[in-house]
Amino acid sequence: MRIYDNDIEKLLEEFESEEIKVPDKLDDKLNLKLKELKLNPYKKWIVSSAASILVIGISYITIPSFRSFGDSVFKYIFSDIGVENAVNNEYSSGENQKIKIGNYNISIENIYIDTLRISFEAVILGDIKYIDDMDANSSLYVEGISFEEISVNNGVFYEEDNKLKANVQIIGDGVSNLIKNKDRLNLKLKLVKYIDTEEEILGKTDITINIPKDVQNTKEIKINKVIKDDGLNISIEKLVVSPTMMYMDTSGELEEVGNIQGLYNFKILSDNGSMYNESLSLSGIGKDGGWRQTIIPSVYYDKSKSLNLKAEGVLIDANKEIEINLNDTYPKEIDYFGHVLTIRKVEYIDNKLIVEVLEDDNISYAGASSIDKEYASSGYYISEGWYGSRFDIDKKDSYNLNLALILKYNYPIDVKINVIR
């Protein structure tokens, strides 16, 4: 389920906020589209990664409009085709249950549990025309999850089929510890509404979810393929496979450039002709180091004896400091690890340093750009690949600029994976 430009446009069409906090590490296409938004002002566009899981940054929930957008992306990634494929292979849901939070009657539906993920939908019961307090700025939180290697996507309510629904996901390797040796799981829920950035609690309650005795365990498919070529060192380690989704773990480096941050434009083909596509690539650092990416649907139910992994190349974390000078003439082309990078403008206006850069097709996306190790205070998209950053920094003749770029390194990959069952 690769996401294309028109899918991203659909996700963005109602997004109007001028204040956003950019998630951890987003797909290159999504990052490019995010640059077309007004990113002014934002504080420290900081890149960080959640250990052992792939997930939009949890911090997005603090800004209502971006919460809605983030939830749409999350739902796009972790629902639909992955669950549909599993359900078609007898992956069963738990029993629906009715609860009450504050003044609201809620149905908990489509409960799915395995050792990698717990997911469910919450549906507000009643005619939404008469539910005055509930809108897209309302969310259902899960509180008290303290296990490591777990991330909770607290569901933002959206309207579908004249109902208000929220999709909640508890994801990560730590889910197996959360449900280990248990028949039932107690979850603390909190219903909230946001007014601007202030949280109004509409109610709290506990729910109990039955854990199936035959809960389907996550599997591992070992790959252990090492590729070395002219300074490139890639280790493609394993697939972590659950019924509805799977991760691929990779690690390595390109000498004198940086560490690998996964593969790009990759897919897995089974010997029965099925295709498993790179999903919208929200990536995180694996619990054993290296990098981890999502693939949906999963090969969990595929009976093939072998799989074939194909990719166009790898993504490289290419951090490099560039000296920029207010007295130079711009536009100016510079060498960035063998790629031409054009700096359009460097100027100091209203106590801010303005830097504008043009990306090329070899650049996947820019991370947390900084000047003299100070992160940008705001950013903006210009047009046709040009984007700018503002820095709150004292004026001086020269600065050290770090764009934190992720480069595409073209290296066709074709690896056969033997499946031992």
Side-chain angles (χ1 to χ4, degrees), residues 187-344:
L187 297 176
K188 298 181 181 299
L189 302 183
K190 178 175 72 172
L191 186 62
V192 302
K193 179 180 179 180
Y194 286 89
I195 302 172
D196 295 324
T197 58
E198 297 297 319
E199 176 184 291
E200 178 187 347
I201 298 175
L202 302 177
K204 294 184 178 185
T205 194
D206 290 1
I207 64 168
T208 299
I209 295 176
N210 291 324
I211 300 172
K213 291 182 179 179
D214 56 347
V215 64
Q216 290 166 299
N217 295 316
T218 297
K219 303 174 182 178
E220 284 192 1
I221 299 175
K222 300 291 186 181
I223 303 174
N224 295 330
K225 175 68 174 179
V226 176
I227 299 171
K228 294 185 177 182
D229 181 76
D230 192 25
L232 180 65
N233 187 343
I234 310 170
S235 177
I236 305 172
E237 295 152 6
K238 62 184 176 182
L239 292 174
V240 180
V241 181
S242 80
T244 63
M245 57 186 283
M246 55 185 174
Y247 302 153
M248 183 172 66
D249 286 357
T250 57
S251 61
E253 65 175 351
L254 180 61
E255 289 180 5
E256 298 182 0
V257 179
N259 291 329
I260 288 172
Q261 292 198 344
L263 310 186
Y264 75 89
N265 288 348
F266 67 90
K267 59 188 174 184
I268 292 176
L269 304 172
S270 70
D271 57 20
N272 66 18
S274 298
M275 180 182 296
Y276 302 89
N277 287 323
E278 165 194 11
S279 180
L280 175 60
S281 298
L282 301 189
S283 301
I285 297 173
K287 66 178 180 179
D288 298 319
W291 210 251
R292 178 166 271 194
Q293 292 169 285
T294 315
I295 305 166
I296 292 178
S298 172
V299 301
Y300 191 92
Y301 298 100
D302 197 301
K303 303 300 182 184
S304 297
K305 294 181 179 179
S306 67
L307 306 169
N308 195 236
L309 168 65
K310 293 179 178 289
E312 289 187 23
V314 296
L315 300 173
I316 306 293
D317 186 6
N319 287 311
K320 180 179 181 178
E321 286 196 343
I322 305 162
E323 185 178 355
I324 55 174
N325 197 303
L326 286 176
N327 300 318
D328 281 349
T329 300
Y330 297 95
K332 179 181 179 180
E333 292 185 349
I334 62 171
D335 176 81
Y336 198 94
F337 294 114
H339 302 290
V340 175
L341 189 69
T342 303
I343 299 180
R344 179 186 188 186

Side-chain angles (χ1 to χ4, degrees), residues 4-200:
Y4 294 97
D5 288 344
N6 57 339
D7 299 310
I8 297 169
E9 294 291 354
K10 184 177 180 181
L11 291 173
L12 292 173
E13 62 185 8
E14 296 182 356
F15 180 66
E16 298 176 349
S17 174
E18 291 188 354
E19 295 187 28
I20 71 173
K21 185 167 184 177
V22 178
D24 289 350
K25 290 274 192 178
L26 297 186
D27 178 79
D28 50 349
K29 286 182 178 291
L30 184 54
N31 269 277
L32 187 60
K33 290 298 177 182
L34 283 171
K35 288 176 190 146
E36 298 178 26
L37 307 174
K38 288 186 177 180
L39 306 182
N40 183 26
Y42 66 85
K43 295 181 180 180
K44 289 192 178 181
W45 184 347
I46 297 177
V47 176
S48 59
S49 300
S52 83
I53 51 178
L54 300 94
V55 65
I56 289 176
I58 299 172
S59 55
Y60 78 77
I61 61 175
T62 60
I63 301 173
S65 55
F66 195 71
R67 282 187 303 111
S68 301
F69 167 70
D71 187 73
S72 298
V73 176
F74 202 101
K75 186 172 183 291
Y76 190 97
I77 298 165
F78 289 111
S79 297
D80 304 325
I81 191 169
V83 171
E84 180 182 347
N85 177 66
V87 169
N88 288 339
N89 286 278
E90 301 181 351
Y91 182 61
S92 58
S93 66
E95 293 183 5
N96 294 353
Q97 56 180 288
K98 301 291 192 301
I99 63 171
K100 187 167 185 175
I101 306 181
N103 296 323
Y104 304 96
N105 294 309
I106 297 176
S107 177
I108 304 298
E109 304 175 358
N110 295 319
I111 304 168
Y112 293 99
I113 301 176
D114 58 42
T115 52
L116 202 62
R117 170 160 64 146
I118 300 167
S119 67
F120 61 86
E121 285 188 332
V123 182
I124 303 291
L125 301 177
D127 192 328
I128 63 172
K129 289 188 253 184
Y130 302 105
I131 304 175
D132 296 331
D133 292 335
M134 301 297 294
D135 57 24
N137 286 336
S138 302
S139 298
L140 186 65
Y141 278 66
V142 178
E143 298 186 302
I145 299 290
S146 58
F147 280 93
E148 295 181 357
E149 301 169 359
I150 287 181
S151 182
V152 180
N153 177 61
N154 300 292
V156 178
F157 282 93
Y158 61 96
E159 184 178 341
E160 183 178 271
D161 300 330
N162 202 34
K163 295 180 180 179
L164 284 172
K165 300 179 180 180
N167 180 258
V168 176
Q169 305 275 348
I170 303 169
I171 294 180
D173 293 303
V175 170
S176 60
N177 292 325
L178 184 66
I179 64 176
K180 186 176 181 179
N181 300 323
K182 292 181 181 177
D183 297 324
R184 292 177 293 278
L185 177 65
N186 183 263
L187 297 176
K188 298 181 181 299
L189 302 183
K190 178 175 72 172
L191 186 62
V192 302
K193 179 180 179 180
Y194 286 89
I195 302 172
D196 295 324
T197 58
E198 297 297 319
E199 176 184 291
E200 178 187 347

Side-chain angles (χ1 to χ4, degrees), residues 328-394:
D328 281 349
T329 300
Y330 297 95
K332 179 181 179 180
E333 292 185 349
I334 62 171
D335 176 81
Y336 198 94
F337 294 114
H339 302 290
V340 175
L341 189 69
T342 303
I343 299 180
R344 179 186 188 186
K345 179 192 294 185
V346 175
E347 60 182 359
Y348 200 83
I349 302 174
D350 297 330
N351 296 318
K352 292 184 185 295
L353 180 68
I354 308 298
V355 180
E356 294 180 354
V357 178
L358 174 66
E359 293 186 351
D360 69 14
D361 290 338
N362 293 306
I363 298 171
S364 179
Y365 59 90
S369 58
S370 62
I371 290 279
D372 292 346
K373 305 191 185 303
E374 292 291 330
Y375 290 102
S377 58
S378 62
Y380 55 95
Y381 178 80
I382 304 168
S383 65
E384 298 177 353
W386 291 102
Y387 71 95
S389 299
R390 302 182 185 91
F391 297 87
D392 294 327
I393 197 167
D394 293 335

